[in-house]
Amino acid sequence: MLPNVLQASATDHVPVLTGEVRRLLAVQPGETVVDATFGAGGHSTQLAADLLGRGKLIAIDRDPDVRRYFDRFRRNAGVQTRLLRGDFSIVLEQLGSNGVRADALLLDLGVSSMQLDRPERGFSYAVDAPLDMRMDPSSEITAASVVNDTGERELESIFRRYGEERYARQIARAISRRRRTEPFERTGDLVETIRAAIPAPARFGDGHPAKRVFQALRIAVNDELGALEAALPAALEMLRPGGRIAVISFHSLEDRIVKRFMREQERGCVCPPDFPVCVCGREPVLRALWRKAIRPGAAEVAANPRASSAKLRAAVHV
């Protein structure tokens, strides 16, 4: 069994599916590792340890607050490290264009605990805070601008598509009605409006009533699905033959994108079935390291409830 070398404090982000990520990425000394969603560095700490003092780890994150976590990580990593700030889809493409190649690459999608647990970032529905939700604070679009400036029908579509919110229409209508007299500026105002818009029985079942709407807004504000669609081919372009890629998702739409991409890259010949011989010449580019998505076990979910929706998919460049 791989040792757990990460000593996280109570306030640190707890990485999800760490043992499974290490086993599937199988980092070896001397390799180049890319953690495209560095966060608080939990996975990077584990992967750097497997380099055994020889190799390189490139960290990517769009959030400027990760700098203090990276500085702590770098002091103890024991290998060459580098932090690149920006949207992972853009940074991965730039790295690939500059000839950088990776032996192991990780994407841990979604919002991190360090963002959720800082009220001023506006990600959480549990505390009243500015309605922000930007992973990159320099971005122009905030949750407030989406809520206040987006048409009612488009708001409904955002809540339904990204949050799978069954009361999307009622919530969008209530938001539209309230903002005519007063714009939304605080998370608490939005939570109150959502709570009042849905039927009373629904307010007490399946978690917090604002959970899905906040998730949908976060995805929309940060264009998370668009970034993922662009990042996957860029990541594949960076992988050396034999290189491994692992992706952890927390939303069904994310997992669907990852699954579809990997399955498409696993396909060989695409000639019609009635062709006697292959004329397309297509060869598989990826091979799945595990056929189905890997989920956290009961013990991990009990210790870290935020892990409950995680799904891990991994493949190797053939």
Side-chain angles (χ1 to χ4, degrees):
M1 179 178 293
L2 292 168
N4 186 344
V5 298
L6 178 65
Q7 301 297 321
S9 72
T11 59
D12 281 346
H13 170 66
V14 179
V16 174
L17 292 164
T18 306
E20 291 83 352
V21 167
R22 293 179 76 188
R23 175 170 56 84
L24 292 170
L25 288 183
V27 171
Q28 301 298 312
E31 291 189 327
T32 296
V33 178
V34 176
D35 184 348
T37 46
F38 180 79
H43 282 112
S44 283
T45 300
Q46 301 277 4
L47 298 174
D50 292 334
L51 289 170
L52 299 179
R54 293 186 289 120
K56 179 194 304 180
L57 190 142
I58 300 171
I60 303 169
D61 207 290
R62 67 167 77 176
D63 192 330
D65 286 349
V66 306
R67 168 58 68 176
R68 61 193 178 99
Y69 294 97
F70 178 78
D71 288 343
R72 183 182 64 180
F73 160 76
R74 181 175 53 187
R75 288 194 295 270
N76 302 301
V79 295
Q80 183 181 350
T81 62
R82 183 183 180 191
L83 174 64
L84 302 174
R85 196 171 84 78
D87 183 318
F88 57 59
S89 64
I90 297 173
V91 177
L92 289 173
E93 184 177 359
Q94 291 172 339
L95 288 171
S97 297
N98 289 328
V100 178
R101 294 296 176 260
D103 299 288
L105 193 151
L106 173 65
L107 290 168
D108 182 6
L109 306 174
V111 66
S112 71
S113 294
M114 72 173 188
Q115 292 166 331
L116 284 172
D117 294 339
R118 294 189 60 187
E120 68 273 16
R121 301 296 298 273
F123 286 100
S124 176
Y125 44 75
V127 293
D128 183 43
L131 193 53
D132 194 321
M133 301 193 192
R134 292 173 296 177
M135 292 180 177
D136 180 352
S138 67
S139 299
E140 293 183 3
I141 298 175
T142 66
S145 65
V146 172
V147 169
N148 290 315
D149 302 334
T150 305
E152 183 178 323
R153 287 191 178 182
E154 189 177 348
L155 268 184
E156 178 187 343
S157 176
I158 289 172
F159 300 156
R160 198 178 301 281
R161 182 185 177 201
Y162 298 151
E164 299 174 305
E165 172 56 65
R166 62 184 298 191
Y167 300 108
R169 180 174 300 175
Q170 294 93 319
I171 294 169
R173 186 179 300 137
I175 288 172
S176 180
R177 188 165 50 243
R178 183 195 186 278
R179 70 189 183 187
R180 290 173 197 157
T181 57
E182 185 179 5
F184 287 88
E185 297 179 352
R186 310 281 299 180
T187 57
D189 297 331
L190 182 58
V191 169
E192 289 179 9
T193 301
I194 294 168
R195 196 188 303 272
I198 63 178
R203 300 172 195 168
F204 304 100
D206 195 24
H208 196 284
K211 175 176 65 176
R212 294 182 180 86
V213 169
F214 270 62
Q215 172 183 277
L217 285 173
R218 191 203 78 220
I219 291 173
V221 166
N222 298 288
D223 188 25
E224 293 178 34
L225 300 186
L228 177 59
E229 292 269 17
L232 290 171
L236 178 58
E237 184 68 22
M238 280 192 65
L239 282 183
R240 291 191 178 101
R244 293 80 61 197
I245 180 172
V247 185
I248 302 173
S249 62
F250 293 84
H251 187 283
S252 59
L253 291 176
E254 292 173 338
D255 181 61
R256 203 170 301 146
I257 290 170
V258 175
K259 179 180 178 180
R260 184 176 66 242
F261 177 81
M262 288 189 174
R263 293 285 170 84
E264 179 66 21
Q265 300 303 321
E266 290 168 17
R267 293 179 63 192
C269 174
V270 293
C271 292
D274 56 345
F275 275 34
V277 295
C278 174
V279 295
C280 72
R282 178 184 169 114
E283 298 287 343
V285 180
L286 290 177
R287 174 176 54 81
L289 290 172
W290 197 263
R291 200 65 210 153
K292 295 183 178 181
I294 298 173
R295 304 293 299 270
E300 180 172 4
V301 172
N304 180 18
R306 289 176 179 168
S308 61
S309 60
K311 291 183 178 180
L312 167 64
R313 297 186 185 273
V316 59
H317 192 324
V318 295

